[in-house]
């Protein structure tokens, strides 16, 4: 079961009319999709996307018979081409991205996302595509590993950990989650209170393996092209790297074209394509105490200008 973060708040922010065309770029277990469908009338449409085959199975079981609904396996980075197949270019009224991993991905040990459950070191949202974490760690150079831990995991001790990983793999392949968690824990000089020592490293490797930040950049750019005037973009981030990208994107798209200050002939700058709606929203105390995943969530909303 996935306990959806900002369930009503996010769908409310999508501002959905009965005949809206909507995209849920991160189906997960359909928490948001179910509420979106509840707001749509007969003419409304929802296209949901997820990389994960288990999410696709869930979507078909739950909503497969609903003619307003379609599920696509793939990345939201490619939503332009999925939407083009429906003839939806420039006509989408609301797009939601609820980033990161779902609870079932974390809970199933064999998916390899969890540093506290023994499983194959995989970490791919789509296990049929690309390199697993174990495959990557087996072949990557020490510097590359250190960079991934530093950039995507914001791990200060990235070099030490990368050194420990390359040493350990000379002894035996690193293909189990707990094995990696232990190598990382042993490499750290001291432990942080209340935080598993492998938290940052696992986050960094996961983001890298799934190209999460590249997908986010592409997905945001695609979303703005697809939205109809007045259409809403709603993004829920779970760490500062994601939120920074979303925040900067909305800011850039709100400013429009920035002209050089001393133009010989004053020109007219192109207007921005987005308007930020309200302030960033964080889940309330009640939600955070009921659902620990909500603690780090932050939602930003923007509207497409004509
Ligand atoms: C936080 S969960 C979404 C939960 C969902 N809103 C719900 O209420 O059930 C994130 C989901 O997005 C998927 N995902 C992450 N990055 C993706 C991407 N670039 N393209 C498509 N799906 C992605 C993951 O596989 C995961 O199922």
């Amino acid at each position: 079961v996935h306990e959806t973060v900002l369930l009503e708040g996010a769908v409310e922010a999508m501002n959905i009319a009965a005949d809206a065309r909507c995209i849920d770029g991160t189906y997960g277990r359909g928490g948001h999709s179910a509420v979106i469908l509840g707001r749509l009338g007969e003419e409304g449409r929802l296209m949901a996307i997820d990389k994960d085959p288990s999410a696709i199975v869930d979507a078909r079981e739950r909503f497969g018979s609903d003619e307003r609904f379609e599920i696509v396996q793939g990345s939201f980075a490619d939503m332009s081409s999925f939407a083009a197949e429906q003839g939806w270019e420039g006509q989408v009224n609301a797009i939601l991205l609820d980033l990161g991993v779902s609870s079932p991905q974390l809970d199933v040990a064999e998916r390899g996302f969890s540093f506290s459950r023994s499983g194959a070191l995989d970490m791919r949202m789509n296990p049929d595509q690309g390199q697993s974490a174990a495959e990557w760690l087996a072949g990557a150079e020490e510097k590359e590993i250190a960079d991934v831990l530093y950039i995507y995991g914001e791990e200060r001790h990235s070099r030490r950990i990368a050194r420990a990983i390359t040493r350990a793999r000379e002894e035996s392949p690193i293909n189990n989650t707990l094995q990696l968690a232990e190598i990382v824990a042993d490499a750290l000089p001291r432990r942080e209170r209340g935080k598993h020592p492998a938290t940052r490293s696992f986050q960094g490797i996961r983001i890298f393996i799934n190209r999460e930040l590249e997908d986010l950049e592409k997905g945001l750019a695609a979303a703005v092209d697809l939205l109809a005037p007045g259409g809403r973009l709603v993004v829920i981030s779970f760490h500062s790297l994601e939120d920074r990208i979303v925040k900067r994107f909305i800011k850039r798209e709100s400013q429009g074209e920035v002209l050089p200050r001393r133009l010989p002939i004053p020109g007219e700058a192109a207007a921005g394509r987005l308007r930020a709606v309200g302030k960033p929203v964080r889940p309330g105390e009640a939600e955070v105490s009921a659902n620990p995943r909500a603690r780090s969530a932050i939602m930003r909303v923007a509207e497409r200008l004509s």
Side-chain angles (χ1 to χ4, degrees):
V1 178
H2 176 81
E3 202 167 327
T4 301
V5 173
L6 290 165
L7 177 60
E8 295 291 337
V11 179
E12 190 63 42
M14 291 171 82
N15 199 21
I16 298 169
D19 62 351
R21 289 174 174 167
C22 305
I23 297 181
D24 177 353
T26 49
Y27 174 84
R29 282 299 176 270
H32 286 115
S33 278
V35 178
I36 294 169
L37 285 168
R39 298 208 176 190
L40 291 174
E42 261 177 47
E43 300 300 311
R45 295 286 177 270
L46 171 62
M47 178 194 290
I49 305 169
D50 207 294
K51 283 183 173 180
D52 191 322
S54 70
I56 306 302
V57 170
D58 182 273
R60 293 208 172 113
E61 276 173 11
R62 274 182 85 185
F63 305 114
S65 60
D66 190 328
E67 286 178 358
R68 304 167 303 163
F69 178 80
E70 198 202 345
I71 182 76
V72 180
Q73 184 173 12
S75 171
F76 57 64
D78 301 320
M79 69 169 100
S80 290
S81 55
F82 304 146
E85 281 169 26
Q86 306 286 326
W88 280 14
E89 296 107 320
Q91 296 177 35
V92 179
N93 305 105
I95 300 177
L96 170 68
L97 300 177
D98 176 18
L99 302 170
V101 281
S102 67
S103 310
Q105 287 170 332
L106 284 172
D107 294 344
V108 176
E110 279 314 307
R111 300 299 305 268
F113 287 104
S114 170
F115 45 71
S116 54
R117 291 169 208 266
S118 173
L121 190 59
D122 193 317
M123 296 200 205
R124 284 171 295 182
M125 290 182 186
N126 179 357
D128 302 320
Q129 215 172 49
Q131 256 189 336
S132 70
E135 285 163 348
W136 175 66
L137 281 178
E141 282 182 20
E142 188 176 319
K143 165 138 184 7
E144 190 188 356
I145 299 173
D147 286 349
V148 164
L149 300 180
Y150 186 71
I151 297 168
Y152 300 123
E154 299 183 287
E155 172 56 73
R156 280 189 303 138
H157 302 293
S158 55
R159 285 176 201 280
R160 255 174 209 260
I161 298 171
R163 179 87 252 191
I165 288 174
T166 50
R167 272 202 196 135
R169 76 182 178 192
E170 283 166 19
E171 303 293 318
S172 65
I174 306 169
N175 47 28
N176 176 278
T177 46
L178 295 187
Q179 186 190 0
L180 176 63
E182 204 176 299
I183 295 167
V184 174
D186 290 347
L188 289 177
R190 64 189 103 54
R191 302 210 163 197
E192 253 175 89
R193 265 223 178 154
K195 195 164 194 169
H196 190 288
T199 307
R200 294 180 209 277
S201 297
F202 269 62
Q203 175 190 299
I205 296 172
R206 190 201 91 205
I207 291 176
F208 172 76
I209 286 290
N210 292 291
R211 307 274 182 274
E212 290 180 34
L213 302 185
E214 290 93 324
D215 276 11
L216 177 56
E217 300 262 14
K218 286 187 196 154
L220 293 173
V224 118
D225 287 341
L226 286 177
L227 283 173
R232 291 279 176 95
L233 171 64
V234 176
V235 187
I236 306 174
S237 304
F238 288 87
H239 52 77
S240 56
L241 295 171
E242 287 170 344
D243 186 51
R244 197 175 309 146
I245 290 175
V246 179
K247 179 177 157 185
R248 286 188 182 160
F249 178 79
I250 294 176
K251 187 167 176 212
R252 205 164 56 233
E253 287 289 344
S254 306
Q255 280 171 341
E257 192 186 346
V258 180
L259 292 177
R261 266 197 281 155
R262 290 172 186 227
L263 274 187
I265 307 160
E268 214 172 284
R273 296 194 295 168
L274 286 181
R275 162 181 91 80
V277 176
K279 292 207 151 71
V281 176
R282 292 181 183 277
E285 263 174 49
E287 182 171 356
V288 172
S289 56
N291 180 6
R293 265 191 77 250
R295 194 177 315 134
S296 51
I298 176 163
M299 175 174 82
R300 292 184 189 266
V301 183
E303 190 172 282
R304 179 76 159 92
L305 300 171
S306 46

